[in-house]
């Protein structure tokens, strides 16, 4: 019942945050598109496209989390957590394509060289950029908080998508301000800068999701804490082997511990069970622990084999 409640909370929280993101991004993208068109700002139109891509990424997050929250079944005995990583990979792909499209358009304008024909952006574009920076940073902090709270990689990726949008809006603000000061090409340069911000965010999301798909081990601090937790249990002489792998948002742990070889099978099993339960209780991200007991001979309080 406790596991079911946790999954329900996880899915409900992620869905709520994603819907807030969708609503905010729809409003922002429409506002920035309006401002970009009527204030003649290519940077603001590029920024509007970036915000619109956030809507699709949030939808992918909702779908990915909903599927990954499904319980284990006969065909998927280890669960569906990795599907959330696939959602993050799709999100990274969308981000990269968005960035490349914006960059291509900006490079065309810059190479064109007809800078005098570029219309100076209006004040509306400048105000829209300032509003976007404030709104996107707020959305980043909001999404990041809940992503950390429920430990969702896809939701954290969406949070950084918001941050990349805030940074791109800063680039748009600088470009628009520069264009209004008599350097119209800076509007297109700002679009190019936005392209790099988006590409960097896509790369970071892709690498994080890839690590989780290929059974990457936990960080050293987590493994040290796991070792310490196992060694604290009575009857554990030594941890011979510790292997960890990140499975979506969860962790699998394989342990080999040393115990007194003169103990009965029942006693050795009890030691392993205590280690198993202690790790699962102290590390909420750990989904499963496998503990193997190696028998050792003890003489005068020392292990001799």
């Amino acid at each position: 019942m406790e596991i079911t409640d946790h999954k329900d909370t996880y899915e409900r929280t992620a869905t709520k945050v994603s819907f807030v993101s969708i609503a905010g991004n729809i409003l922002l993208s429409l506002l920035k598109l309006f401002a970009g068109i009527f204030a003649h700002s290519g940077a603001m139109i590029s920024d509007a496209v970036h915000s619109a891509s956030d809507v699709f990424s949030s939808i992918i997050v909702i779908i990915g989390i909903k599927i990954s929250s499904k319980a284990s079944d006969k065909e998927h005995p280890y669960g569906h957590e990795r599907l959330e990583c696939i959602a993050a990979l799709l999100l990274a792909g969308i981000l990269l394509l968005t960035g490349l499209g914006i960059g291509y358009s900006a490079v065309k304008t810059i190479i064109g060289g007809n800078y005098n024909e570029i219309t100076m952006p209006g004040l509306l574009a400048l105000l829209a950029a300032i509003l976007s920076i404030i709104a996107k940073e707020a959305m980043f902090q909001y999404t990041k908080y809940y992503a950390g709270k429920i430990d969702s990689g896809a939701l954290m990726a969406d949070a950084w998508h918001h941050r990349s949008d805030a940074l791109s809006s800063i680039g748009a603000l600088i470009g628009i301000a520069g264009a209004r000061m008599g350097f119209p090409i800076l509007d297109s340069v700002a679009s190019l800068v936005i392209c790099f911000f988006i590409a960097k965010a896509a790369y970071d999301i892709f690498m994080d999701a890839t690590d989780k798909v290929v059974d990457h081990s936990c960080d050293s601090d987590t493994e040290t804490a796991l070792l310490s937790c196992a060694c604290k249990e009575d009857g554990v002489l030594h941890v011979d082997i510790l292997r960890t792998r990140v499975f979506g948002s969860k962790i699998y742990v394989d342990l080999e511990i040393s115990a007194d070889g003169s103990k009965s099978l029942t006693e050795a099993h009890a030691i392993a069970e205590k280690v198993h339960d202690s790790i699962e209780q102290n590390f909420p991200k750990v989904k499963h622990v496998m503990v193997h007991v190696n028998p050792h001979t003890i003489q005068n309080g020392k292990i001799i084999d």
Side-chain angles (χ1 to χ4, degrees):
M1 183 65 179
E2 185 178 337
I3 295 176
T4 302
D5 290 343
H6 172 74
K7 286 184 176 179
D8 288 345
T9 301
Y10 177 87
E11 186 178 347
R12 187 166 56 249
T13 300
T15 302
K16 179 191 74 173
V17 173
S18 295
F19 273 120
V20 169
S21 295
I22 289 172
N25 282 317
I26 288 175
L27 290 173
L28 269 177
S29 59
L30 290 174
L31 172 65
K32 289 193 280 191
L33 183 62
F34 174 83
I37 292 172
F38 286 92
H40 308 290
S41 171
M44 186 49 57
I45 293 174
S46 298
D47 212 17
V49 173
H50 190 187
S51 291
S53 73
D54 284 356
V55 176
F56 295 105
S57 70
S58 294
I59 292 173
I60 289 174
V61 169
I62 291 173
I63 296 172
I65 288 176
K66 188 172 183 63
I67 296 174
S68 67
S69 297
K70 289 173 61 179
S72 303
D73 53 40
K74 185 177 179 181
E75 288 77 22
H76 308 89
Y78 293 99
H80 302 77
E81 281 85 2
R82 277 190 176 146
L83 290 175
E84 184 178 342
C85 300
I86 293 175
L89 289 171
L90 287 172
L91 193 157
I94 291 173
L95 261 180
L96 181 61
L97 290 174
T98 301
L100 291 176
I102 290 172
Y104 175 74
S105 178
V107 169
K108 275 182 61 178
T109 302
I110 294 171
I111 292 177
N114 298 319
Y115 304 151
N116 294 328
E117 297 178 7
I118 300 176
T119 305
M120 183 180 71
L123 181 61
L124 180 61
L126 199 68
L127 296 175
I130 294 172
L131 176 62
S132 176
I133 293 167
I134 296 170
K136 294 302 294 187
E137 181 61 24
M139 290 171 71
F140 165 73
Q141 296 293 343
Y142 171 77
T143 308
K144 184 185 176 193
Y145 169 77
Y146 281 105
K149 189 173 182 180
I150 64 174
D151 191 30
S152 169
L155 203 59
M156 186 63 77
D158 208 25
W160 283 102
H161 200 168
H162 293 318
R163 169 57 68 82
S164 74
D165 207 358
L167 293 173
S168 73
S169 292
I170 292 175
L173 176 65
I174 295 172
I176 293 167
R180 287 179 57 79
M181 292 171 63
F183 304 95
I185 191 58
L186 287 181
D187 190 62
S188 296
V189 172
S191 291
L192 192 58
V193 172
I194 291 170
C195 162
F196 285 109
F197 276 125
I198 297 174
K200 176 60 168 60
Y203 173 80
D204 291 342
I205 292 169
F206 176 83
M207 293 306 298
D208 179 68
T210 300
D211 279 347
K212 292 176 179 176
V213 168
V214 298
D215 286 345
H216 194 279
S217 62
C218 293
D219 59 273
S220 58
D221 289 342
T222 300
E223 291 198 340
T224 299
L226 288 165
L227 282 170
S228 177
C229 182
C231 289
K232 286 178 182 177
E233 296 303 317
D234 291 337
V236 177
L237 302 177
H238 185 259
V239 175
D240 301 328
I241 296 175
L242 169 65
R243 295 190 181 95
T244 61
R245 56 192 175 99
V246 178
F247 189 89
S249 60
K250 298 298 180 181
I251 299 172
Y252 281 76
V253 179
D254 296 319
L255 277 168
E256 287 191 21
I257 61 173
S258 297
D260 187 349
S262 65
K263 292 184 179 295
S264 67
L265 177 60
T266 300
E267 291 173 316
H269 175 76
I271 294 171
E273 194 71 16
K274 284 192 297 182
V275 172
H276 173 278
D277 293 345
S278 179
I279 288 177
E280 286 201 340
Q281 289 168 9
N282 288 285
F283 297 86
K285 289 181 67 174
V286 172
K287 182 175 181 179
H288 181 70
V289 184
M290 179 65 73
V291 184
H292 175 80
V293 182
N294 295 320
H296 286 272
T297 301
I298 299 178
Q299 286 185 1
N300 300 322
K302 294 182 179 180
I303 302 174
I304 63 172
D305 66 345

